[in-house]
Amino acid sequence: MIKNITLVMLISCSLTAINAQVGIGTTEPDPSSELHIESNDSGLLIPRLTTTQRDAILSPANGLLIFNTDTDEIQINTNTTITPIWEAFTLTTTTTSTPGQSVKYSNTDISTNINNNTAINLPVCGVEEWNDNTTLYNVDVTSNSITINETGRYRVIVNASIIVANNGPQRANPEIYIALDDVQVGTVSSHGYMRRAGGHNEASVNFTEVIEITTGQALSLKVLRVGNVGVVNLRAASTTNLYIEKIL
């Protein structure tokens, strides 16, 4: 008799455990759930299968869930076990941009002296050539800066055409570099001295950088004097330009 009572109690406990809700990371699982997981430092990792491995599952249940490593997507069987149909979840991206989107500006200013002891922003944001994503690239034409609104890796191409007037300084040599929030990043580029002799009044500064940019950082081109004192200008309208492209 005692054995029978013990057996009944064991079966009862087993059934209770089977029917009970499961809470992981919580002692109070939601009443509507069979499995309730709580965490603030990790996620849920579901089975990861190739397409071949997925198709080898015997009689996959309707609603069976996997992550397909060949297509990098979560898939669910929306049909029967006999003729499964694997459909991908439609996910809403948190990004507002895609690689390849770019912005390009050219100068209209040909009067600002760019040969100063203190660095100024190169006056390049005069004319918008194009802007593929105005949410990603927020241009301030007054400060000649472009705020990047998504973290990523960006290619920056700079072409600057400069000139010294006939009565300007000899051996002028402005340098240009990229700045994020007014802090230099990457290389410093210059043409070398413009001698203002034998018609050598003009020069070009050209360089390309790939840099990491964090959401909200403002990109500008800084220019300052490293040669002799005197006025140096951008050569002509649309001869200086700034190109930025998101690559990753």
Side-chain angles (χ1 to χ4, degrees), residues 108-185:
T108 55
D109 187 321
I110 58 173
S111 62
T112 296
N113 179 23
I114 62 171
N115 194 44
N116 302 283
N117 292 333
T118 302
I120 66 169
N121 287 358
L122 190 73
V124 67
C125 296
V127 175
E128 180 187 292
E129 304 290 348
W130 65 77
N131 187 344
D132 293 337
N133 188 334
T134 55
T135 300
L136 177 62
Y137 303 113
N138 184 8
V139 183
D140 186 335
V141 296
T142 301
S143 67
N144 287 287
S145 64
I146 300 177
T147 298
I148 312 299
N149 289 314
E150 188 169 301
T151 297
R153 191 171 299 160
Y154 293 80
R155 178 182 293 110
V156 182
I157 301 175
V158 179
N159 298 292
S161 298
I162 58 180
I163 187 170
V164 177
N166 287 329
N167 60 350
Q170 289 188 331
R171 295 181 175 83
N173 181 28
E175 289 185 337
I176 300 174
Y177 60 86
I178 299 168
L180 294 176
D181 293 337
D182 295 324
V183 177
Q184 178 186 342
V185 294

Side-chain angles (χ1 to χ4, degrees), residues 63-232:
L64 190 67
L65 192 69
I66 66 139
F67 181 84
N68 190 320
T69 57
D70 289 336
T71 58
D72 281 337
E73 59 190 12
I74 298 172
Q75 296 180 336
I76 185 171
N77 178 19
T78 60
N79 207 37
T80 66
T81 59
I82 305 300
T83 55
I85 296 176
W86 296 95
E87 295 191 22
F89 277 97
T90 301
L91 303 178
T92 302
T93 181
T94 58
T95 183
T96 60
S97 67
T98 57
Q101 291 182 326
S102 63
V103 60
K104 183 179 180 181
Y105 267 77
S106 296
N107 74 296
T108 55
D109 187 321
I110 58 173
S111 62
T112 296
N113 179 23
I114 62 171
N115 194 44
N116 302 283
N117 292 333
T118 302
I120 66 169
N121 287 358
L122 190 73
V124 67
C125 296
V127 175
E128 180 187 292
E129 304 290 348
W130 65 77
N131 187 344
D132 293 337
N133 188 334
T134 55
T135 300
L136 177 62
Y137 303 113
N138 184 8
V139 183
D140 186 335
V141 296
T142 301
S143 67
N144 287 287
S145 64
I146 300 177
T147 298
I148 312 299
N149 289 314
E150 188 169 301
T151 297
R153 191 171 299 160
Y154 293 80
R155 178 182 293 110
V156 182
I157 301 175
V158 179
N159 298 292
S161 298
I162 58 180
I163 187 170
V164 177
N166 287 329
N167 60 350
Q170 289 188 331
R171 295 181 175 83
N173 181 28
E175 289 185 337
I176 300 174
Y177 60 86
I178 299 168
L180 294 176
D181 293 337
D182 295 324
V183 177
Q184 178 186 342
V185 294
T187 189
V188 175
S189 185
S190 69
H191 177 273
Y193 287 127
M194 292 181 289
R195 295 179 59 246
R196 195 173 62 79
H200 187 190
N201 290 17
E202 301 171 343
S204 296
V205 180
N206 315 99
F207 63 96
T208 300
E209 279 280 2
V210 175
I211 57 177
E212 297 281 352
I213 301 178
T214 302
T215 298
Q217 288 187 307
L219 184 148
S220 60
L221 301 177
K222 297 293 185 180
V223 57
L224 76 161
R225 179 185 73 83
V226 292
N228 288 336
V229 176
V231 175
V232 178

Side-chain angles (χ1 to χ4, degrees), residues 18 54 174 211 214 241:
I18 292 172
R54 179 204 69 188
I211 57 177
T214 302
N241 53 69

Side-chain angles (χ1 to χ4, degrees), residues 40-60:
N40 59 13
D41 59 5
S42 58
L44 174 67
L45 187 62
I46 65 175
R48 295 168 289 179
L49 288 76
T50 65
T51 299
T52 300
Q53 292 170 330
R54 179 204 69 188
D55 293 343
I57 298 174
L58 297 176
S59 302

